[in-house]
Amino acid sequence: MVALAWLVPPGSLSRAADTAAPLIGRWESVARSTGGLGQVLEFRPDGTMTQWVAVLVELTYQVHGPLLLSLYRHPGSGATETQAAGLRFDGDLMIQRDPQSGAETRLTRKRAGGPQDMPIVGVWTTPHETGGTAFILYSADG
């Protein structure tokens, strides 16, 4: 043991440490089940983490005045589906209205986009029909 310590120059152990980028942040599964099931891992600077199994569905969107268009492309078949909804904001509340049924979905802002972004950009939550909470991220690039 002493011989090994003698062979290791002072300070070399700190240089041998892993220099990979930290894992801090939120990570999502790239590979998902056919239904979109995947994992979300969130690593925090204090050494804690949270892991979710979630349905991860990627859409694109466009805002045209008071209208929100959501476009979904099925990963297997490539078939596309477009949904339209009325769109309005009341502070940190987004209200989407189905044009056929008139049903409204209310989403609460959890994280805003940047000052130059459209009001829709950010993270929103809404109660999910299964009893949980749905999180929706609208990015600045649609």
Side-chain angles (χ1 to χ4, degrees), residues 70-118:
S70 299
L71 300 96
Y72 173 72
R73 180 178 302 258
H74 189 277
S77 69
T80 59
E81 178 182 334
T82 302
Q83 293 182 341
L87 179 66
R88 65 185 168 94
F89 297 92
D90 184 6
D92 285 335
L93 186 65
M94 178 189 346
I95 300 127
Q96 297 178 3
R97 184 179 176 99
D98 183 292
Q100 282 81 28
S101 70
E104 290 186 344
T105 302
R106 295 174 175 265
L107 300 99
T108 304
R109 183 187 306 279
K110 294 299 179 186
R111 187 177 70 218
Q116 74 286 357
D117 291 329
M118 294 187 305

Side-chain angles (χ1 to χ4, degrees), residues 41-91:
L41 301 170
E42 182 176 9
F43 296 94
R44 295 182 202 83
D46 67 0
T48 62
M49 67 159 299
T50 302
Q51 176 183 10
W52 299 272
V53 174
V55 177
L56 302 165
V57 181
E58 294 183 24
L59 309 164
T60 57
Y61 74 91
Q62 299 171 0
V63 175
H64 297 282
L67 186 65
L68 171 65
L69 297 177
S70 299
L71 300 96
Y72 173 72
R73 180 178 302 258
H74 189 277
S77 69
T80 59
E81 178 182 334
T82 302
Q83 293 182 341
L87 179 66
R88 65 185 168 94
F89 297 92
D90 184 6

